[in-house]
Amino acid sequence: MRGSEFAELKAFVAVVDRTSFARAADHLGVSRSALSQTIRQLESRLGVRLLNRTTRSVSPTEPGRRLHERVAPMLRDMDQAVAQAVGTRARAAGTLRINTLSMAVERLIAPRLGRFAAAHPEVVLDIVIDDGLSDIAGEGFDAGIRVGGRLQKDMVAVRLTPDFELLAVASPDYLARRGEPRTPADLSRHDCINWRFPGSGKIAGWPFRKKDKTIEYFGEGKVISNHQDIIVPAALQGLGILYAYNDGGIADALAEGRLKRVLADWSPTVPGLFLYYSSRRHMLPALRAFIDCLLDRDIAVAEPPTSKKRR
């Protein structure tokens, strides 16, 4: 295979993986016009259209899908072989695509963006906030961040946080009007603020556990949403009981008395946040650096040991 043919196939796979000419161009370090020309040359050489293009999306045609299925694994194997050969000494560079929950952005990523950028100026972070269950490998992401119980199969997982405790909370005003539930069965007399999973559209059940008794409750109420920016204010404004991770301002509202916890003896802990990536891919230097930053391991490396003065 000639070098130009290899470059064409690599460009094609990058576009399909990232479903975007702009993101693929950033990843490859070329202009969008140059990338479009490369794809046209490949289609002309093969005599078939490989991509359906609109102003908003890019998707493979049937011949393009078949070509991607055969070529993409071979290119990834080659990338992995190169990465393993150069080892961990390779510099962190290129575009790193991360699919993450919104609470991971608030807790982990946003506070460390500046430090990561300063330490790794050749890395472009492409962060997509997605509270659904995206297929990170199929959609061209290098890694995802999810709670431990919702990881995809065949993934390498790296724990980022301790486990979380679920909290049932409501405003003092709501509880004064409606009373406090003592058991999950009491929730049938209350309005429940529900979470809808993005993508599947399913309403999340409320898992409760006390000693050996486990219950999953599905309640009804006046508010359903797939985002913390709706469900937490709904609880603060007295629209019902919310059952959620200790996140999105809940801890502050509890400390300030704007929310009150109920059913504490029924509320279990659930797996914390994990970063995961495909077990079929070698860890990229940029991803390794990103994980070290999220776990604050880069601070330990950056800070030299304190020297003791000789007497």
Side-chain angles (χ1 to χ4, degrees):
M1 180 184 295
R2 294 178 298 178
S4 59
E5 294 173 352
F6 176 80
E8 290 169 357
L9 291 173
K10 188 170 183 178
F12 166 71
V13 169
V15 172
V16 175
D17 282 350
R18 286 159 177 79
T19 65
S20 163
F21 271 86
R23 289 194 292 266
D26 288 342
H27 172 72
L28 296 170
V30 299
S31 67
R32 291 180 62 180
S33 60
L35 179 59
S36 296
Q37 178 63 25
T38 299
I39 297 299
R40 285 195 293 270
Q41 289 173 352
L42 175 62
E43 290 177 324
S44 177
R45 182 167 61 83
L46 298 181
V48 64
R49 184 162 56 89
L50 299 173
L51 297 173
N52 291 316
R53 305 168 177 85
T54 70
T55 56
R56 294 187 177 183
S57 65
V58 179
S59 62
T61 62
E62 183 59 25
R65 184 188 63 78
R66 292 196 299 267
L67 179 63
H68 181 269
E69 286 180 352
R70 297 294 301 272
V71 172
M74 291 187 288
L75 291 179
R76 292 186 184 117
D77 287 344
M78 293 177 65
D79 288 341
Q80 180 175 342
V82 171
Q84 290 174 334
V86 300
T88 59
R89 290 177 296 177
R91 77 184 192 281
T95 299
L96 185 66
R97 297 198 70 218
I98 304 293
N99 185 292
T100 178
L101 295 174
S102 55
M103 70 171 172
V105 171
E106 179 184 347
R107 287 172 177 255
L108 298 171
I109 299 176
R112 295 167 173 83
L113 282 174
R115 192 173 83 222
F116 183 84
H120 306 285
E122 296 182 70
V123 177
V124 175
L125 287 178
D126 184 351
I127 298 172
V128 174
I129 301 174
D130 175 13
D131 290 316
L133 290 173
S134 296
D135 176 6
I136 63 165
E139 296 182 24
F141 291 97
D142 298 302
I145 299 177
R146 291 289 180 270
V147 293
R150 299 172 63 195
L151 301 183
Q152 292 176 268
K153 295 181 179 179
D154 301 322
M155 292 285 164
V156 177
V158 180
R159 179 182 281 275
L160 299 177
T161 70
D163 290 347
F164 297 135
E165 187 176 17
L166 286 170
L167 305 179
V169 298
S171 71
D173 174 68
Y174 174 87
L175 295 175
R177 288 185 285 109
R178 304 288 294 272
E180 295 188 21
R182 303 298 178 185
T183 70
D186 294 338
L187 292 171
S188 62
R189 299 191 295 271
H190 286 270
D191 290 324
C192 297
I193 300 169
N194 282 307
W195 173 270
R196 187 186 299 279
F197 288 115
S200 70
K202 294 181 179 179
I203 301 296
W206 293 11
F208 292 102
R209 184 169 60 246
K210 188 173 184 180
K211 296 182 179 179
D212 296 331
K213 190 173 185 179
T214 300
I215 298 171
E216 186 173 25
Y217 182 80
F218 290 88
E220 296 181 353
K222 300 176 181 178
V223 177
I224 303 171
S225 184
N226 65 350
H227 203 278
Q228 292 284 81
D229 288 351
I230 294 295
I231 59 175
V232 175
L236 289 168
Q237 295 172 38
L239 299 183
I241 295 176
L242 171 65
Y243 197 51
Y245 302 121
N246 188 5
D247 185 63
I250 292 177
D252 290 342
L254 286 170
E256 296 164 1
R258 293 182 293 131
L259 288 177
K260 183 178 180 180
R261 188 175 181 185
V262 296
L263 298 173
D265 55 340
W266 280 92
S267 302
T269 58
V270 293
L273 291 171
F274 286 76
L275 180 144
Y276 64 105
Y277 61 97
S278 174
S279 60
R280 295 184 293 273
R281 295 184 63 182
H282 182 75
M283 184 185 288
L284 300 170
L287 179 57
R288 187 183 302 277
F290 185 66
I291 293 172
D292 286 343
C293 184
L294 295 184
L295 295 175
D296 294 330
R297 294 195 296 228
D298 57 333
I299 294 178
V301 172
E303 293 178 349
T306 303
S307 59
K308 296 182 179 180
K309 296 181 178 180
R310 295 181 180 179
R311 294 185 177 178

PDB file of all heavy atoms in Angstrom, residues 181-203:
ATOM      1  N   PRO A 181     -41.895  10.992  54.931  1.00  0.00           N
ATOM      2  CA  PRO A 181     -42.025   9.542  54.762  1.00  0.00           C
ATOM      3  C   PRO A 181     -41.078   8.805  55.707  1.00  0.00           C
ATOM      4  O   PRO A 181     -39.944   9.226  55.907  1.00  0.00           O
ATOM      5  CB  PRO A 181     -41.628   9.324  53.302  1.00  0.00           C
ATOM      6  CG  PRO A 181     -40.709  10.460  52.992  1.00  0.00           C
ATOM      7  CD  PRO A 181     -41.223  11.627  53.786  1.00  0.00           C
ATOM      8  N   ARG A 182     -41.562   7.710  56.280  1.00  0.00           N
ATOM      9  CA  ARG A 182     -40.739   6.905  57.178  1.00  0.00           C
ATOM     10  C   ARG A 182     -40.227   5.632  56.505  1.00  0.00           C
ATOM     11  O   ARG A 182     -39.196   5.091  56.903  1.00  0.00           O
ATOM     12  CB  ARG A 182     -41.551   6.532  58.427  1.00  0.00           C
ATOM     13  CG  ARG A 182     -42.110   7.733  59.194  1.00  0.00           C
ATOM     14  CD  ARG A 182     -41.002   8.619  59.707  1.00  0.00           C
ATOM     15  NE  ARG A 182     -41.540   9.801  60.404  1.00  0.00           N
ATOM     16  CZ  ARG A 182     -40.782  10.781  60.866  1.00  0.00           C
ATOM     17  NH1 ARG A 182     -39.462  10.751  60.683  1.00  0.00           N
ATOM     18  NH2 ARG A 182     -41.335  11.819  61.483  1.00  0.00           N
ATOM     19  N   THR A 183     -40.955   5.175  55.499  1.00  0.00           N
ATOM     20  CA  THR A 183     -40.557   3.992  54.734  1.00  0.00           C
ATOM     21  C   THR A 183     -40.783   4.297  53.252  1.00  0.00           C
ATOM     22  O   THR A 183     -41.554   5.224  52.910  1.00  0.00           O
ATOM     23  CB  THR A 183     -41.369   2.754  55.130  1.00  0.00           C
ATOM     24  OG1 THR A 183     -42.721   2.922  54.664  1.00  0.00           O
ATOM     25  CG2 THR A 183     -41.355   2.540  56.642  1.00  0.00           C
ATOM     26  N   PRO A 184     -40.178   3.541  52.331  1.00  0.00           N
ATOM     27  CA  PRO A 184     -40.435   3.758  50.904  1.00  0.00           C
ATOM     28  C   PRO A 184     -41.909   3.649  50.537  1.00  0.00           C
ATOM     29  O   PRO A 184     -42.371   4.330  49.608  1.00  0.00           O
ATOM     30  CB  PRO A 184     -39.600   2.667  50.230  1.00  0.00           C
ATOM     31  CG  PRO A 184     -38.469   2.424  51.171  1.00  0.00           C
ATOM     32  CD  PRO A 184     -39.077   2.567  52.538  1.00  0.00           C
ATOM     33  N   ALA A 185     -42.666   2.822  51.261  1.00  0.00           N
ATOM     34  CA  ALA A 185     -44.094   2.692  50.959  1.00  0.00           C
ATOM     35  C   ALA A 185     -44.834   4.005  51.159  1.00  0.00           C
ATOM     36  O   ALA A 185     -45.840   4.276  50.487  1.00  0.00           O
ATOM     37  CB  ALA A 185     -44.704   1.598  51.836  1.00  0.00           C
ATOM     38  N   ASP A 186     -44.335   4.849  52.062  1.00  0.00           N
ATOM     39  CA  ASP A 186     -44.980   6.147  52.317  1.00  0.00           C
ATOM     40  C   ASP A 186     -44.872   7.089  51.115  1.00  0.00           C
ATOM     41  O   ASP A 186     -45.609   8.088  51.036  1.00  0.00           O
ATOM     42  CB  ASP A 186     -44.351   6.827  53.537  1.00  0.00           C
ATOM     43  CG  ASP A 186     -44.613   6.058  54.824  1.00  0.00           C
ATOM     44  OD1 ASP A 186     -45.581   5.275  54.859  1.00  0.00           O
ATOM     45  OD2 ASP A 186     -43.841   6.243  55.787  1.00  0.00           O
ATOM     46  N   LEU A 187     -43.964   6.800  50.190  1.00  0.00           N
ATOM     47  CA  LEU A 187     -43.790   7.683  49.033  1.00  0.00           C
ATOM     48  C   LEU A 187     -45.010   7.699  48.125  1.00  0.00           C
ATOM     49  O   LEU A 187     -45.156   8.604  47.296  1.00  0.00           O
ATOM     50  CB  LEU A 187     -42.555   7.256  48.227  1.00  0.00           C
ATOM     51  CG  LEU A 187     -41.203   7.462  48.924  1.00  0.00           C
ATOM     52  CD1 LEU A 187     -40.093   6.796  48.124  1.00  0.00           C
ATOM     53  CD2 LEU A 187     -40.904   8.955  49.106  1.00  0.00           C
ATOM     54  N   SER A 188     -45.874   6.712  48.250  1.00  0.00           N
ATOM     55  CA  SER A 188     -47.091   6.686  47.424  1.00  0.00           C
ATOM     56  C   SER A 188     -47.989   7.883  47.713  1.00  0.00           C
ATOM     57  O   SER A 188     -48.852   8.229  46.896  1.00  0.00           O
ATOM     58  CB  SER A 188     -47.858   5.382  47.660  1.00  0.00           C
ATOM     59  OG  SER A 188     -48.279   5.291  49.007  1.00  0.00           O
ATOM     60  N   ARG A 189     -47.782   8.529  48.861  1.00  0.00           N
ATOM     61  CA  ARG A 189     -48.587   9.705  49.223  1.00  0.00           C
ATOM     62  C   ARG A 189     -47.841  11.016  48.932  1.00  0.00           C
ATOM     63  O   ARG A 189     -48.244  12.081  49.393  1.00  0.00           O
ATOM     64  CB  ARG A 189     -48.956   9.633  50.703  1.00  0.00           C
ATOM     65  CG  ARG A 189     -49.781   8.405  51.068  1.00  0.00           C
ATOM     66  CD  ARG A 189     -50.335   8.512  52.482  1.00  0.00           C
ATOM     67  NE  ARG A 189     -49.270   8.513  53.485  1.00  0.00           N
ATOM     68  CZ  ARG A 189     -48.774   7.402  54.033  1.00  0.00           C
ATOM     69  NH1 ARG A 189     -49.232   6.208  53.650  1.00  0.00           N
ATOM     70  NH2 ARG A 189     -47.825   7.478  54.943  1.00  0.00           N
ATOM     71  N   HIS A 190     -46.730  10.902  48.177  1.00  0.00           N
ATOM     72  CA  HIS A 190     -45.900  12.078  47.911  1.00  0.00           C
ATOM     73  C   HIS A 190     -45.683  12.269  46.415  1.00  0.00           C
ATOM     74  O   HIS A 190     -45.798  11.331  45.609  1.00  0.00           O
ATOM     75  CB  HIS A 190     -44.545  11.924  48.606  1.00  0.00           C
ATOM     76  CG  HIS A 190     -44.603  12.119  50.086  1.00  0.00           C
ATOM     77  ND1 HIS A 190     -44.436  13.335  50.683  1.00  0.00           N
ATOM     78  CD2 HIS A 190     -44.830  11.230  51.097  1.00  0.00           C
ATOM     79  CE1 HIS A 190     -44.535  13.210  51.991  1.00  0.00           C
ATOM     80  NE2 HIS A 190     -44.776  11.936  52.269  1.00  0.00           N
ATOM     81  N   ASP A 191     -45.326  13.504  46.056  1.00  0.00           N
ATOM     82  CA  ASP A 191     -44.863  13.801  44.700  1.00  0.00           C
ATOM     83  C   ASP A 191     -43.373  13.459  44.620  1.00  0.00           C
ATOM     84  O   ASP A 191     -42.590  13.876  45.477  1.00  0.00           O
ATOM     85  CB  ASP A 191     -45.056  15.277  44.367  1.00  0.00           C
ATOM     86  CG  ASP A 191     -46.519  15.645  44.220  1.00  0.00           C
ATOM     87  OD1 ASP A 191     -47.283  14.806  43.708  1.00  0.00           O
ATOM     88  OD2 ASP A 191     -46.894  16.764  44.611  1.00  0.00           O
ATOM     89  N   CYS A 192     -42.996  12.725  43.581  1.00  0.00           N
ATOM     90  CA  CYS A 192     -41.592  12.342  43.385  1.00  0.00           C
ATOM     91  C   CYS A 192     -41.044  13.072  42.159  1.00  0.00           C
ATOM     92  O   CYS A 192     -41.683  13.099  41.102  1.00  0.00           O
ATOM     93  CB  CYS A 192     -41.467  10.833  43.191  1.00  0.00           C
ATOM     94  SG  CYS A 192     -41.986   9.866  44.637  1.00  0.00           S
ATOM     95  N   ILE A 193     -39.884  13.660  42.309  1.00  0.00           N
ATOM     96  CA  ILE A 193     -39.206  14.341  41.199  1.00  0.00           C
ATOM     97  C   ILE A 193     -38.333  13.306  40.510  1.00  0.00           C
ATOM     98  O   ILE A 193     -37.371  12.800  41.086  1.00  0.00           O
ATOM     99  CB  ILE A 193     -38.364  15.516  41.722  1.00  0.00           C
ATOM    100  CG1 ILE A 193     -39.270  16.524  42.436  1.00  0.00           C
ATOM    101  CG2 ILE A 193     -37.611  16.191  40.574  1.00  0.00           C
ATOM    102  CD1 ILE A 193     -38.506  17.579  43.219  1.00  0.00           C
ATOM    103  N   ASN A 194     -38.664  12.975  39.270  1.00  0.00           N
ATOM    104  CA  ASN A 194     -38.061  11.826  38.612  1.00  0.00           C
ATOM    105  C   ASN A 194     -36.993  12.201  37.588  1.00  0.00           C
ATOM    106  O   ASN A 194     -37.022  13.283  36.990  1.00  0.00           O
ATOM    107  CB  ASN A 194     -39.139  10.978  37.929  1.00  0.00           C
ATOM    108  CG  ASN A 194     -39.897  10.115  38.922  1.00  0.00           C
ATOM    109  OD1 ASN A 194     -39.291   9.374  39.690  1.00  0.00           O
ATOM    110  ND2 ASN A 194     -41.227  10.221  38.919  1.00  0.00           N
ATOM    111  N   TRP A 195     -36.071  11.259  37.402  1.00  0.00           N
ATOM    112  CA  TRP A 195     -34.980  11.381  36.434  1.00  0.00           C
ATOM    113  C   TRP A 195     -35.272  10.475  35.250  1.00  0.00           C
ATOM    114  O   TRP A 195     -35.554   9.297  35.415  1.00  0.00           O
ATOM    115  CB  TRP A 195     -33.662  10.969  37.090  1.00  0.00           C
ATOM    116  CG  TRP A 195     -32.496  10.906  36.151  1.00  0.00           C
ATOM    117  CD1 TRP A 195     -32.071   9.832  35.419  1.00  0.00           C
ATOM    118  CD2 TRP A 195     -31.588  11.973  35.831  1.00  0.00           C
ATOM    119  NE1 TRP A 195     -30.972  10.146  34.663  1.00  0.00           N
ATOM    120  CE2 TRP A 195     -30.659  11.462  34.904  1.00  0.00           C
ATOM    121  CE3 TRP A 195     -31.490  13.295  36.250  1.00  0.00           C
ATOM    122  CZ2 TRP A 195     -29.630  12.239  34.388  1.00  0.00           C
ATOM    123  CZ3 TRP A 195     -30.459  14.072  35.721  1.00  0.00           C
ATOM    124  CH2 TRP A 195     -29.544  13.542  34.813  1.00  0.00           C
ATOM    125  N   ARG A 196     -35.187  11.049  34.041  1.00  0.00           N
ATOM    126  CA  ARG A 196     -35.358  10.261  32.820  1.00  0.00           C
ATOM    127  C   ARG A 196     -33.996  10.061  32.164  1.00  0.00           C
ATOM    128  O   ARG A 196     -33.265  11.028  31.921  1.00  0.00           O
ATOM    129  CB  ARG A 196     -36.288  10.977  31.830  1.00  0.00           C
ATOM    130  CG  ARG A 196     -36.627  10.113  30.611  1.00  0.00           C
ATOM    131  CD  ARG A 196     -37.421  10.892  29.578  1.00  0.00           C
ATOM    132  NE  ARG A 196     -38.692  11.376  30.082  1.00  0.00           N
ATOM    133  CZ  ARG A 196     -39.786  10.638  30.179  1.00  0.00           C
ATOM    134  NH1 ARG A 196     -39.752   9.365  29.834  1.00  0.00           N
ATOM    135  NH2 ARG A 196     -40.906  11.175  30.638  1.00  0.00           N
ATOM    136  N   PHE A 197     -33.644   8.807  31.881  1.00  0.00           N
ATOM    137  CA  PHE A 197     -32.359   8.529  31.238  1.00  0.00           C
ATOM    138  C   PHE A 197     -32.363   9.075  29.822  1.00  0.00           C
ATOM    139  O   PHE A 197     -33.272   8.760  29.037  1.00  0.00           O
ATOM    140  CB  PHE A 197     -32.070   7.027  31.181  1.00  0.00           C
ATOM    141  CG  PHE A 197     -31.731   6.414  32.505  1.00  0.00           C
ATOM    142  CD1 PHE A 197     -32.572   5.470  33.072  1.00  0.00           C
ATOM    143  CD2 PHE A 197     -30.580   6.771  33.184  1.00  0.00           C
ATOM    144  CE1 PHE A 197     -32.264   4.895  34.290  1.00  0.00           C
ATOM    145  CE2 PHE A 197     -30.272   6.200  34.400  1.00  0.00           C
ATOM    146  CZ  PHE A 197     -31.108   5.265  34.957  1.00  0.00           C
ATOM    147  N   PRO A 198     -31.374   9.904  29.456  1.00  0.00           N
ATOM    148  CA  PRO A 198     -31.264  10.334  28.064  1.00  0.00           C
ATOM    149  C   PRO A 198     -31.024   9.119  27.169  1.00  0.00           C
ATOM    150  O   PRO A 198     -30.414   8.137  27.577  1.00  0.00           O
ATOM    151  CB  PRO A 198     -30.041  11.261  28.071  1.00  0.00           C
ATOM    152  CG  PRO A 198     -29.876  11.674  29.495  1.00  0.00           C
ATOM    153  CD  PRO A 198     -30.343  10.500  30.314  1.00  0.00           C
ATOM    154  N   GLY A 199     -31.494   9.185  25.968  1.00  0.00           N
ATOM    155  CA  GLY A 199     -31.281   8.071  25.035  1.00  0.00           C
ATOM    156  C   GLY A 199     -32.398   7.056  25.132  1.00  0.00           C
ATOM    157  O   GLY A 199     -33.244   6.956  24.245  1.00  0.00           O
ATOM    158  N   SER A 200     -32.454   6.288  26.222  1.00  0.00           N
ATOM    159  CA  SER A 200     -33.480   5.254  26.362  1.00  0.00           C
ATOM    160  C   SER A 200     -34.841   5.845  26.698  1.00  0.00           C
ATOM    161  O   SER A 200     -35.880   5.263  26.368  1.00  0.00           O
ATOM    162  CB  SER A 200     -33.081   4.257  27.448  1.00  0.00           C
ATOM    163  OG  SER A 200     -33.137   4.849  28.735  1.00  0.00           O
ATOM    164  N   GLY A 201     -34.850   6.995  27.386  1.00  0.00           N
ATOM    165  CA  GLY A 201     -36.114   7.606  27.775  1.00  0.00           C
ATOM    166  C   GLY A 201     -36.771   6.968  28.986  1.00  0.00           C
ATOM    167  O   GLY A 201     -37.868   7.369  29.380  1.00  0.00           O
ATOM    168  N   LYS A 202     -36.124   6.000  29.604  1.00  0.00           N
ATOM    169  CA  LYS A 202     -36.705   5.318  30.756  1.00  0.00           C
ATOM    170  C   LYS A 202     -36.621   6.191  32.011  1.00  0.00           C
ATOM    171  O   LYS A 202     -35.692   6.981  32.169  1.00  0.00           O
ATOM    172  CB  LYS A 202     -35.986   3.994  31.006  1.00  0.00           C
ATOM    173  CG  LYS A 202     -36.185   2.955  29.906  1.00  0.00           C
ATOM    174  CD  LYS A 202     -35.448   1.665  30.240  1.00  0.00           C
ATOM    175  CE  LYS A 202     -35.658   0.617  29.151  1.00  0.00           C
ATOM    176  NZ  LYS A 202     -34.917  -0.631  29.466  1.00  0.00           N
ATOM    177  N   ILE A 203     -37.598   6.015  32.891  1.00  0.00           N
ATOM    178  CA  ILE A 203     -37.587   6.693  34.180  1.00  0.00           C
ATOM    179  C   ILE A 203     -36.762   5.856  35.158  1.00  0.00           C
ATOM    180  O   ILE A 203     -36.945   4.635  35.253  1.00  0.00           O
ATOM    181  CB  ILE A 203     -39.011   6.876  34.731  1.00  0.00           C
ATOM    182  CG1 ILE A 203     -39.853   7.689  33.747  1.00  0.00           C
ATOM    183  CG2 ILE A 203     -38.964   7.554  36.096  1.00  0.00           C
ATOM    184  CD1 ILE A 203     -39.387   9.097  33.534  1.00  0.00           C
TER     185      ILE A 203
END
